[in-house]
Amino acid sequence: MKRLLLLLLCLALLLCAGCQTNQPTTTPGQTAVPTAKPVKKTEYVVDVSLGTEGNSIDPTYVSDADTASYVQHLFEGLMKYVPENEKQDGTVTEVKLDYGMAESCDVSEDGLTYTFHLREAFWSDSQPVTAGDFVYAWQRLVVPSNVERPANRKVLNGIVKNAAEIVSGQADVSTLGVRAADDFTFVVELERNCPYFLKLCASPCLVPLRQDVIETHGGNWTDSGTIVVNGPYTIAEWVHDDFLEMEQNEYYYNRSALGPDRIVWHFSDSEQSALEEFQAGAYDFIGTVPSESLKSLQSENICQTAARSGTYYLYFNVNSFSDWRVRAAMLLSVDRDAIADSLSGEGTAATGFVAAGIQDSEYAPFAAESHGESVFYQALQSLYPDADLKTYEGRCALAQQLYQQAVDEGAWDGKNAGSYCYNRSTLNESVAKACQKNWADVLNLNIRLEGMSRDQYSKELKAGNFGVAYLSWMPDYNDAQNFLDLMKTGSKYNHGAWSDPTYDDLLLQISALPDGAERDKLLHQGEELLFSDEGFPICPIFFYGESYCMSKKLQGVGYNPFGAYSFQYAAK
């Protein structure tokens, strides 16, 4: 179950005299040297298959997790992911934020100016990495004149000064809030306080790029004979649609810490073929598994599933379902476990809006399930202490009680439910039919299903022409706020038109805080407000998962919840 998404990360903030200094919890890597130093060790190769080659390894145009995996081995941004530990049980390890090309970062007292001090690092052609390389790359991302507009061109909108105006063509790219104070000092000016900004700085679309190389070679600059990189690996050989072989970059500042001498990415559009190669021992890792084989492979402990930061959820149009008790009853009566079970093991029943895989400031899972109960039921349990919300049968009983209360008080007559709209796909239709049956069986509520084309669905969703509608949200960065912001008043993604001033005020408080325990607490409160009285504007169904097969001999493979894998520190 592949999905397009961005690879973005986490930060930590510490205070120092007169400013805030942002320091990840791990120690930055070694200082670079201007000449290559061969590293003597036993050579080994890691063979990987994540799927197809993708459209481009140009970082500006990265739009899917597989390509992001390739790019993060070739390029390195201001910040980067590093594995937390080396698991030896055939599973991937979580990653956390560390400095990349930046050696340190200072933040002004008002939180609007970030000053990155670059380490001594070099491109694969031995030229130094400079602040100007970052200025060029960030401007290239937002410039509206690109023939092919980058999928991530809006990632800085509303965050970096003038980014939105430049993307929309209302301002010149030279006004973007980035500058090189000198060759090794990169300064970014923000439009507002952004506690998750360092997370964005680890995005593959924000790595430095060489203007001279791109302008000299044009669209061919990423070819194996012309590409110049600053990351841990460089291209040794590339046979399109067959394999991409990478070897260690001899000029990488922390080369001695790298694992594989070579990483070979094998491309295939056949999940079955990739599985057969893995089972034959030809591949050490595959990131795509045939759905029909998934459950049997999991039972044999051959295949594992990691959390993917994405939530499949439904909107309730508050103009159709104006009473919160009706919306709560509909949420309670959906059998999420049964729906998740039908996904062949590559999804888990949602326990909240914020997806599994999203981390808090201490890199712990944010999702409600990690705290022992679903956030859906916390407020309801306080309001109805005798309700059994631990079982589906008990939840259905409370659903019927809430629904009947709304009917008896004249707040609901069932005549204005509207349609459950979705764009046609096997998944969407299966979920819609399951929910339709749950609502009919539990509440005697009949909802009409209306499948349509993707373009038509987009129009109906934006116009609010639905009673129930679905959306899959893959976040832009590893932070719970990326989910909660969707439901604030006036958000273009608040398709059900729900509004709560208390919720909006809480989000403003969250935006003004640095990453830390206090902000984590408010983020949890925000999610709880979504599922309290007068709430329930959405009905999360399942969290996405990412299935893979990994050799028991391999360890130290990093995985971030956006679906990208890192093998640079892996060991056999």
Side-chain angles (χ1 to χ4, degrees):
M1 186 180 294
K2 296 292 184 183
R3 292 291 187 273
L4 300 183
L5 62 152
L6 302 173
L7 168 64
L8 302 157
L9 315 168
C10 306
L11 73 137
L13 299 174
L14 298 174
L15 296 177
C16 71
C19 66
Q20 292 176 322
T21 299
N22 297 273
Q23 292 184 320
T25 56
T26 50
T27 303
Q30 303 169 358
T31 302
V33 292
T35 57
K37 284 189 176 181
V39 178
K40 300 295 184 181
K41 58 183 177 180
T42 302
E43 179 173 303
Y44 75 91
V45 178
V46 173
D47 289 276
V48 181
S49 179
L50 299 182
T52 60
E53 180 176 314
N55 293 326
S56 174
I57 60 169
D58 184 332
T60 302
Y61 295 94
V62 170
S63 60
D64 65 273
D66 292 348
T67 308
S69 295
Y70 311 147
V71 168
Q72 73 177 10
H73 289 79
L74 296 171
F75 296 89
E76 186 171 289
L78 295 164
M79 311 300 293
K80 66 178 180 180
Y81 271 146
V82 294
E84 287 194 80
N85 52 58
E86 292 187 358
K87 291 184 177 180
Q88 301 183 29
D89 57 357
T91 63
V92 295
T93 183
E94 295 79 11
V95 292
K96 61 196 305 182
L97 197 67
D98 190 11
Y99 286 120
M101 289 292 104
E103 196 165 41
S104 64
C105 176
D106 299 325
V107 184
S108 60
E109 290 186 4
D110 62 6
L112 299 181
T113 303
Y114 281 67
T115 302
F116 294 94
H117 305 284
L118 304 187
R119 68 172 72 250
E120 187 181 21
F122 298 85
W123 293 93
S124 55
D125 65 354
S126 79
Q127 296 299 308
V129 177
T130 69
D133 297 326
F134 281 97
V135 172
Y136 170 71
W138 289 35
Q139 289 181 341
R140 183 175 185 252
L141 178 66
V142 300
V143 67
S145 60
N146 288 349
V147 175
E148 179 186 354
R149 293 195 173 190
N152 304 327
R153 66 187 183 278
K154 296 182 180 180
V155 72
L156 301 178
N157 282 16
I159 299 173
V160 174
K161 186 177 179 180
N162 295 326
E165 290 78 8
I166 296 168
V167 169
S168 64
Q170 300 175 24
D172 187 80
V173 69
S174 63
T175 65
L176 185 67
V178 297
R179 61 186 174 87
D182 56 48
D183 281 350
F184 302 105
T185 307
F186 180 59
V187 181
V188 184
E189 296 179 41
L190 306 188
E191 291 186 347
R192 61 175 175 83
N193 190 288
C194 183
Y196 51 83
F197 179 62
L198 289 186
K199 302 172 186 181
L200 297 181
C201 291
S203 167
C205 65
L206 295 176
V207 300
L209 297 173
R210 283 277 293 278
Q211 182 175 1
D212 59 326
V213 174
I214 294 174
E215 291 183 350
T216 298
H217 300 286
N220 298 320
W221 81 270
T222 57
D223 290 351
S224 58
T226 54
I227 192 169
V228 177
V229 302
N230 74 315
Y233 290 84
T234 189
I235 296 177
E237 185 178 3
W238 189 355
V239 179
H240 288 285
D241 297 319
D242 188 359
F243 69 88
L244 171 62
E245 181 179 337
M246 297 182 186
E247 62 184 359
Q248 289 186 7
N249 177 2
E250 59 183 352
Y251 291 101
Y252 185 60
Y253 66 90
N254 200 18
R255 186 185 179 192
S256 61
L258 299 180
D261 293 277
R262 290 183 291 135
I263 303 172
V264 182
W265 309 86
H266 300 270
F267 305 130
S268 174
D269 57 5
S270 171
E271 295 177 337
Q272 183 60 39
S273 295
L275 176 61
E276 291 172 359
E277 293 290 341
F278 174 80
Q279 292 175 322
Y283 295 165
D284 299 297
F285 188 100
I286 58 173
T288 177
V289 183
S291 58
E292 63 272 15
S293 304
L294 193 54
K295 287 190 175 181
S296 63
L297 292 170
Q298 288 174 333
S299 65
E300 298 171 18
N301 202 30
I302 296 173
C303 176
Q304 311 295 331
T305 300
R308 182 79 171 264
S309 291
T311 303
Y312 187 108
Y313 65 100
L314 308 181
Y315 287 103
F316 296 137
N317 192 327
V318 297
N319 295 314
S320 298
F321 304 99
S322 58
D323 194 285
W324 75 269
R325 292 167 297 185
V326 175
R327 301 193 297 266
M330 293 175 72
L331 179 146
L332 288 167
S333 55
V334 170
D335 191 347
R336 287 170 191 76
D337 290 324
I339 294 175
D341 189 59
S342 70
L343 300 175
S344 301
E346 205 164 11
T348 57
T351 58
F353 187 31
V354 179
I358 293 295
Q359 299 167 320
D360 64 17
S361 63
E362 298 297 322
Y363 302 102
F366 182 92
E369 61 183 338
S370 65
H371 300 279
E373 61 181 340
S374 170
V375 71
F376 300 146
Y377 316 131
Q378 292 173 6
L380 289 174
Q381 195 70 76
S382 297
L383 292 171
Y384 302 91
D386 295 331
D388 172 20
L389 297 179
K390 296 185 181 300
T391 66
Y392 178 63
E393 292 74 17
R395 295 192 289 271
C396 288
L398 179 58
Q400 292 168 342
Q401 178 183 341
L402 291 170
Y403 191 83
Q404 194 60 46
Q405 285 178 358
V407 172
D408 292 345
E409 295 177 13
W412 174 252
D413 59 11
K415 296 180 180 180
N416 191 35
S419 299
Y420 181 149
C421 298
Y422 59 92
N423 63 281
R424 296 186 189 92
S425 76
T426 301
L427 173 63
N428 292 340
E429 187 165 321
S430 296
V431 173
K433 287 182 176 180
C435 292
Q436 180 190 48
K437 185 176 188 305
N438 289 157
W439 294 328
D441 291 346
V442 177
L443 304 175
N444 196 28
L445 173 63
N446 297 309
I447 300 292
R448 184 177 71 256
L449 303 185
E450 189 173 352
M452 57 192 70
S453 68
R454 182 179 295 275
D455 288 344
Q456 183 61 32
Y457 177 69
S458 180
K459 293 177 182 178
E460 298 300 326
L461 186 65
K462 292 177 181 178
N465 296 331
F466 62 87
V468 181
Y470 96 97
L471 195 69
S472 289
W473 185 253
M474 301 293 183
D476 295 329
Y477 46 89
N478 190 355
D479 190 275
Q481 188 171 352
N482 195 222
F483 285 86
L484 302 187
D485 277 349
L486 301 179
M487 299 308 299
K488 65 185 178 183
T489 302
S491 166
K492 66 178 181 180
Y493 295 104
N494 188 355
H495 297 295
W498 177 74
S499 180
D500 183 344
T502 302
Y503 183 81
D504 295 339
D505 289 343
L506 187 61
L507 289 181
L508 288 175
Q509 295 177 50
I510 290 169
S511 295
L513 290 173
D515 219 19
E518 183 180 359
R519 183 169 178 269
D520 289 341
K521 181 180 179 180
L522 294 186
L523 286 167
H524 281 291
Q525 289 180 12
E527 188 177 32
E528 290 165 10
L529 274 176
L530 286 175
F531 304 104
S532 59
D533 52 321
E534 304 305 330
F536 294 90
I538 54 176
C539 178
I541 304 295
F542 65 84
F543 295 147
Y544 286 99
E546 178 81 6
S547 295
Y548 63 92
C549 295
M550 177 173 161
S551 169
K552 296 296 189 293
K553 298 178 181 179
L554 199 60
Q555 63 188 46
V557 175
Y559 171 79
N560 73 64
F562 294 84
Y565 298 96
S566 56
F567 297 88
Q568 56 261 49
Y569 303 111
K572 281 187 179 180

